[in-house]
Amino acid sequence: MDSNPPMLHSPLDQNDDKQKNDHNSSILSPSIMLKQTQIPKQFIWPKGDLTIAYEEVHKEPLVDLEGFFKGDMVATKQAANLIRAACSSHGFFQVINHGVDLRLISIAHDHINGFFKLPMGKKLRAMKKPGSMWGYSGAHVERFSSNLPWKETLSFGFEENGKDLVVVDFFKSNLGKEFEQTGLVYQKYCESMKKLSLAIMEIIGISLGVDQDYYKEFFTDSSSIMRCNYYPPCQEPGLALGTGPHCDPTSLTILHQDQVGGLQVLVNNKWVSIQPRNDALVALSNGRYKSGVHRAVVNRYKERISLAFFLCPKGDKVVSPPLDLMCKHVTRKYPDFTWSDFLQFTQFHYRADHTTLQNFTNWLLSNSNSNSNSSSKQ
């Protein structure tokens, strides 16, 4: 393997070069390695994570939301039952008749495909700055040095803040006025995802037997994450992963993948591929329900794009189980915590995997005990 992979040390013009030097942002990007015969060792994953998928899922949970949006309680109950079964088993399901304009989804794919096809120097204008979650990243090299994902990402935050168009502002401030239209597309896309997320959380509340509005109200003033993923072709797909096995460290993920496919979910300890559907969105749950362990594989010949919207509460929100659930399940698995604490853990202290929540709990309790001991000695 190439022990000296190409590093990007500067964008194409002096202003971008100064920005790069100011933030020490050398990156390693899969898209510039396509002419190499072998992939750099940083991208090679352990054999245990590279197990070939067992089969393609054709009978995955498919939840029709049309009845819910029309106020049909019978159809809503059916949807809740399907979601309960899916989330209790493996943590994912697909939704159709979800109310999101399919043309908007298509346009969002077109715009982000245009971004990822830009010269590297222009993409680096939006690169992540130290300590920030937002911006462009090549293989997350700013955080990790091994088991790198074979992908590029563009991440930005979304929250509804009066008349402020936070997504439009992100694109314009990082990429220039020529990206205002892209910002408007993704502003609308995030607004649609937020609306759908609240609907799904409402049905999840019904499926759990808690007050129907509990989760909807909890997430109404949410502060969510939008991540656009680009997976270039990979010359050694049997050694690399677009995204390694993990559970999303968020409350709910809504994903749209293009027709190339690549999303795989762990079901009964076997990896299965999720067949893409233009009209469907994949939802992955977290919390009391099983958190969906998933990964993304890469393709030797085809590039791939996926759009992931991560629903998250406001940073100061205290995450705790509804009292209705506590009446039925006395033993608590996790202590109360604020979402900002969890975000700090996953962004600066821990690489998300299938044991993130338990390790966060240990970290939180350890810090709490340390602070208590310090206070008692004063």
Side-chain angles (χ1 to χ4, degrees), residues 14 113 117-118 157 184 214 277 286 288 297 335 339-340 368:
Q14 293 181 352
N113 184 57
K117 292 297 176 61
L118 288 172
L184 288 168
Y214 179 86
R277 286 183 54 143
N286 206 340
R288 177 191 151 189
V297 297
W339 192 256
S340 59
S368 177

Side-chain angles (χ1 to χ4, degrees), residues 7 10-11 46 56 105 111 119 133 152 185 192-193 206 216 229 237 248 258 260 262 268 278 309 316 325 353 359 376:
M7 300 292 291
S10 65
E56 187 163 5
I105 296 175
H111 273 264
M133 293 173 54
E152 300 174 21
V185 168
S192 297
M193 289 296 111
I206 294 171
K216 180 180 178 181
N229 302 297
D248 289 334
D258 64 17
V260 175
N268 297 324
N278 274 330
F309 180 84
D316 60 356
L325 287 182
D353 59 14
N359 281 295
S376 63

Side-chain angles (χ1 to χ4, degrees), residues 62 113 126 140 144 169 185 225 244 295 301 310 333 337 353:
L62 195 61
N113 184 57
H140 295 327
F144 312 120
D169 290 344
V185 168
I225 301 167
R295 68 183 185 182
Y301 305 106
F310 303 99
K333 291 184 178 181
F337 59 89
D353 59 14

